[in-house]
Amino acid sequence: MHTTSPPSLESLYQLTDWELDQRIQAARNRLGEDLVILCHHYQREEVYKFADLTGDSLKLSRLASQRSQAKTIVFCGVHFMAEVADILSAPDQITLLPDLAAGCSMADMADLPQVVAAWKELGRVLPVETQVTPITYVNSTAELKAFCGQHQGTVCTSSNAGKILEWAFSQRPKVLFFPDQHLGRNSAKRMGIPLEEIVLYQPDLPLGGLTEAAIRKARVILWNGYCSVHQMFQPAHVELFRKRIPDVRIVVHPECSMEVCDLADDLGSTEQIQQVVRSAPPGSRFAIGTELNLVNRLKHEMPDRDIHFLCPTICMCSTMFRIDTQHLCWTLENLVQGQVVNRITVPKREAVLAKTALERMLQVC
Ligand code: 13P
Ligand code: SF4
């Protein structure tokens, strides 16, 4: 360690990459078993290389719930992921997010007052408590997970949305799915629900812009949210690759639009995308529709596969990118000095209800 008092974040921007790496490593060594660094696959390489454990949202949720011996979880990902870690980790563990501005624009597209208003509005058309299961994509605030916990609903991730929908239909005939319309539509369509029974609820419009008849007929009511990164992938990009590389395998994340997913060979979470590429024989050719950092890492790790980024422009998650080595170093060096910075604490009542919803998910898959 170079300092005896915690560094200012600004001062770390004066260091070289090599110096930052040395200091992060020194802080990790000092913290030893007390620290675990969890990293989402979209993290930039400079940060990802310091991960103790990596994963997609489901894997990271499970890891956080497995009561590691570490006193502190440093979560290199976005805010909702750190909230899940706080909810599922042991009561004596704490969770830190190196930059509190690392949010998720999709998660911001549905808030509790809006969802409560929608629930009430739907309740004027249907007996919601007996007819509708609320499902929130894990990319959402803890208070929406708590809402689902309270109303016999659950959470899903991009790797288990289909199974969670099946579970939901075994409970009640309809689902309210928020905030990602694409994951909801792609998953419902793949389980054979016709598009006429999938409707889009627009929270800014009276009755979500729907008629009472449409709500009564619907089996799946989707919230009008989306990921600004994944919506950049277009059907034309798939068609272009199919022309350029006839034996290409198109693999996309289910946050992409239905038009893109319908043209793809495989869709899956970030962990599942990696598995598809890893399990393919050398020489296989891929065009991948998900965040750029993950695709670049796969290219780098597997030079014997021909891996392309599906979009001709850069699709990066700017909020994931906020976690840089300076913030990681600052968080760790503060910890070494006994200072806790950027702790994520979900309020108790909310955490209990959100945990109910998350545990329902973990029991189903
Ligand atoms: P995964 O659960 O597939 O890692 O997805 C998280 C995410 O935010 C994708 O945009
Ligand atoms: Fe949120 Fe999209 Fe970033 Fe994933 S890629 S964290 S959904 S903004």
Side-chain angles (χ1 to χ4, degrees):
M1 294 290 302
H2 290 211
T3 54
T4 50
S5 59
S8 72
L9 184 54
E10 294 67 38
S11 68
L12 297 175
Y13 283 92
Q14 311 303 319
L15 301 181
T16 63
D17 292 346
W18 185 85
E19 287 168 323
L20 276 165
D21 282 2
Q22 297 298 306
R23 285 179 58 166
I24 292 171
Q25 196 47 53
R28 279 177 97 198
N29 293 345
R30 289 276 296 272
L31 293 162
E33 300 287 295
D34 285 348
L35 170 74
V36 63
I37 300 178
L38 299 188
C39 242
H40 185 263
H41 294 309
Y42 291 163
Q43 288 294 296
R44 51 166 95 196
E45 214 44 49
E46 309 91 276
V47 169
Y48 196 81
K49 70 179 181 211
F50 288 110
D52 294 306
L53 301 164
T54 61
D56 62 5
S57 308
L58 182 65
K59 187 170 163 196
L60 291 169
S61 301
R62 284 194 197 285
L63 289 169
S65 72
Q66 282 165 357
R67 312 281 150 118
S68 120
Q69 293 309 301
K71 287 189 196 138
T72 308
I73 298 171
V74 170
F75 208 114
C76 298
V78 288
H79 194 270
F80 74 82
M81 296 179 177
E83 279 188 333
V84 171
D86 179 53
I87 295 165
L88 293 178
S89 56
D92 56 347
Q93 285 178 305
I94 60 169
T95 302
L96 311 183
L97 180 65
D99 185 345
L100 292 179
C104 164
S105 54
M106 179 207 285
D108 294 339
M109 289 179 188
D111 63 26
L112 185 63
Q114 285 176 312
V115 170
V116 168
W119 191 250
K120 280 195 186 138
E121 214 173 29
L122 294 172
R124 288 200 283 275
V125 182
L126 303 160
V128 277
E129 297 292 344
T130 56
Q131 296 266 305
V132 185
T133 299
I135 300 179
T136 188
Y137 185 25
V138 70
N139 296 36
S140 58
T141 58
E143 53 183 20
L144 290 190
K145 294 180 180 85
F147 175 90
C148 290
Q150 192 177 7
H151 294 276
Q152 282 64 53
T154 188
V155 180
C156 75
T157 74
S158 57
S159 59
N160 64 16
K163 284 189 185 145
I164 294 293
L165 279 175
E166 274 170 25
W167 171 83
F169 288 121
S170 73
Q171 308 295 306
R172 287 170 215 90
K174 293 173 190 285
V175 160
L176 172 63
F177 190 100
F178 41 85
D180 186 19
Q181 57 164 298
H182 299 298
L183 177 66
R185 188 179 293 108
N186 289 322
S187 309
K189 193 176 173 204
R190 267 156 210 256
M191 62 187 289
I193 299 183
L195 287 181
E196 309 80 74
E197 294 176 12
I198 305 173
V199 294
L200 188 67
Y201 186 95
Q202 300 175 75
D204 301 337
L205 299 178
L207 217 54
L210 298 166
T211 61
E212 290 194 10
I215 291 170
R216 284 200 195 91
K217 184 178 171 200
R219 290 181 67 200
V220 180
I221 302 164
L222 301 171
W223 195 263
N224 188 20
Y226 56 85
C227 167
S228 47
V229 179
H230 287 88
Q231 72 160 9
M232 291 173 77
F233 298 101
Q234 297 296 317
H237 304 151
V238 178
E239 280 150 18
L240 203 71
F241 268 104
R242 294 236 188 262
K243 272 199 200 114
R244 266 177 56 194
I245 311 176
D247 61 344
V248 74
R249 249 187 123 62
I250 308 285
V251 188
V252 302
H253 195 279
E255 287 174 14
C256 294
S257 69
M258 177 182 76
E259 291 73 15
V260 169
C261 290
D262 284 354
L263 292 174
D265 298 299
D266 300 284
L267 62 159
S269 74
T270 55
E271 189 79 17
Q272 291 165 336
I273 289 173
Q274 292 198 93
Q275 281 160 8
V276 168
V277 180
R278 287 217 169 91
S279 60
S284 305
R285 311 175 110 198
F286 292 99
I288 303 179
T290 196
E291 211 263 357
L292 186 63
N293 278 292
L294 171 56
V295 181
N296 282 345
R297 183 174 311 115
L298 292 175
K299 267 192 208 179
H300 185 75
E301 275 176 18
M302 286 173 275
D304 60 353
R305 278 105 166 134
D306 183 26
I307 299 173
H308 299 265
F309 189 54
L310 183 59
C311 189
T313 52
I314 291 171
C315 308
M316 274 180 60
C317 179
S318 57
T319 47
M320 286 274 183
F321 200 66
R322 292 197 72 96
I323 310 290
D324 54 15
T325 44
Q326 288 81 0
H327 282 84
L328 179 59
C329 184
W330 176 71
T331 307
L332 298 185
E333 289 193 349
N334 268 282
L335 264 182
V336 167
Q337 301 296 328
Q339 313 268 6
V340 170
V341 292
N342 290 4
R343 181 170 177 186
I344 301 296
T345 313
V346 178
K348 184 90 173 89
R349 193 186 119 76
E350 203 172 293
V352 169
L353 288 168
K355 193 171 182 178
T356 306
L358 282 161
E359 283 178 343
R360 257 179 217 137
M361 169 186 83
L362 293 172
Q363 271 161 21
V364 175
C365 38

